[in-house]
Amino acid sequence: MYRILIVEDDLPMAQAIQKEMGMWGNEAEYVKDFRSVLTEFTAYDPHLVLMDITLPFFNGYHWCGEIRKISDVPVIFISSASDNMNIIMAVNMGGDDFVAKPFDLNVLTAKVQAVLRRSYDLAGRIPVLEHRGAILNLHDMTLTYEGEKIDLTKNEFRILQTLMENKGRLVSRDTLMTKLWETDSYIEENTLTVNIARLRKKLDRAGLTDFITTKVGEGYLILQAGGAEK
């Protein structure tokens, strides 16, 4: 079963597409907050995106570009703006296909099924971790927040990956030290403290304040939404 994310601000249409995708054995969700399309994309981790062009706040070209920074997931544009210029723009922005509105749901489904078959006979997608809009790309070891890439050292990446994989759970200093030792023969304990401090400064400068929480004498954690720990 494939997961399909519908980025469409016409709610009846989004619901109709969701129902149609479900009838063909796929799972589908539609975006609720058009300010946070990338966050919803990352949380849902879809196999395919259906993207309208005219959306509140930012258009579909913008969101396709943001998705392309972190993922090669197929994107099909669905829009009434079906002139040649918009079709060319959609392809240039990384779209895999274009379906003009109004469309027959059977035609849309056929397009979706064809793109899914074509895409997933090939290599898989880039794995990412997300929290508070910050996206850690496990493929190239970069962190992206609000469209900006934050450069990380090897150790900073390992620390952040471990904390994000254990979001909401306390990670001991010993666990983090072990992570840093994976490809190094020896790491002094002070190295962890220094790397945590440097990582925090980078996150703060990017606007991700209080991203990492310290439990004195125990370790570190990234709090889930609402600040609750598991």
Side-chain angles (χ1 to χ4, degrees):
M1 180 172 65
Y2 293 104
R3 294 182 303 280
I4 299 165
L5 183 66
I6 304 161
V7 188
E8 167 62 68
D9 62 327
D10 182 331
L11 183 58
M13 178 175 288
Q15 291 173 333
I17 294 172
Q18 181 186 40
K19 182 179 179 181
E20 178 73 11
M21 295 299 110
M23 289 173 62
W24 284 84
N26 295 311
E27 177 185 305
E29 291 289 345
Y30 50 85
V31 165
K32 311 297 193 302
D33 182 358
F34 289 95
R35 293 183 181 87
S36 304
V37 172
L38 194 63
T39 299
E40 293 197 26
F41 166 84
T42 308
Y44 189 53
D45 190 26
H47 297 94
L48 181 142
V49 177
L50 292 173
M51 179 76 72
D52 192 10
I53 293 176
T54 305
L55 297 167
F57 308 108
F58 299 96
N59 65 29
Y61 298 138
H62 168 83
W63 290 120
C64 184
E66 292 300 295
I67 288 170
R68 281 290 168 263
K69 291 177 182 178
I70 61 169
S71 175
D72 61 355
V73 65
V75 176
I76 298 178
F77 280 92
I78 51 174
S79 177
S80 56
S82 56
D83 57 278
N84 287 342
M85 184 59 70
N86 274 295
I87 294 173
I88 292 169
M89 178 73 77
V91 172
N92 287 341
M93 290 301 296
D96 295 84
D97 208 336
F98 192 105
V99 180
K101 296 179 183 177
F103 49 74
D104 186 302
L105 283 172
N106 290 323
V107 172
L108 178 65
T109 301
K111 291 263 192 179
V112 167
Q113 298 290 72
V115 171
L116 287 171
R117 284 195 302 271
R118 191 163 65 239
S119 300
Y120 293 99
D121 284 340
L122 305 175
R125 292 159 295 139
I126 296 172
V128 299
L129 297 171
E130 188 276 339
H131 182 62
R132 281 175 48 185
I135 298 163
L136 187 67
N137 186 317
L138 305 185
H139 178 73
D140 63 7
M141 299 193 300
T142 59
L143 183 68
T144 304
Y145 180 63
E146 294 186 342
E148 298 295 326
K149 282 196 174 182
I150 303 164
D151 292 328
L152 301 174
T153 66
K154 178 177 62 177
N155 283 344
E156 290 166 353
F157 169 78
R158 290 176 185 166
I159 291 166
L160 198 54
Q161 179 186 6
T162 305
L163 293 175
M164 290 179 75
E165 286 175 342
N166 292 277
K167 185 169 58 178
R169 295 188 292 268
L170 182 71
V171 179
S172 69
R173 288 181 60 87
D174 286 345
T175 298
L176 289 172
M177 289 292 291
T178 300
K179 190 71 174 177
L180 298 189
W181 281 332
E182 282 183 354
T183 57
D184 296 275
S185 57
Y186 177 70
I187 295 287
E188 292 183 359
E189 186 170 357
N190 187 53
T191 300
L192 176 60
T193 304
V194 170
N195 277 273
I196 289 281
R198 288 177 178 169
L199 177 57
R200 276 196 169 118
K201 286 181 180 178
K202 289 183 179 182
L203 296 173
D204 287 346
R205 284 197 299 268
L208 290 164
T209 56
D210 300 322
F211 197 79
I212 298 172
T213 298
T214 301
K215 294 290 184 181
V216 179
E218 299 179 59
Y220 305 91
L221 77 158
I222 291 175
L223 294 176
Q224 291 185 318
E229 292 178 51
K230 284 186 178 178

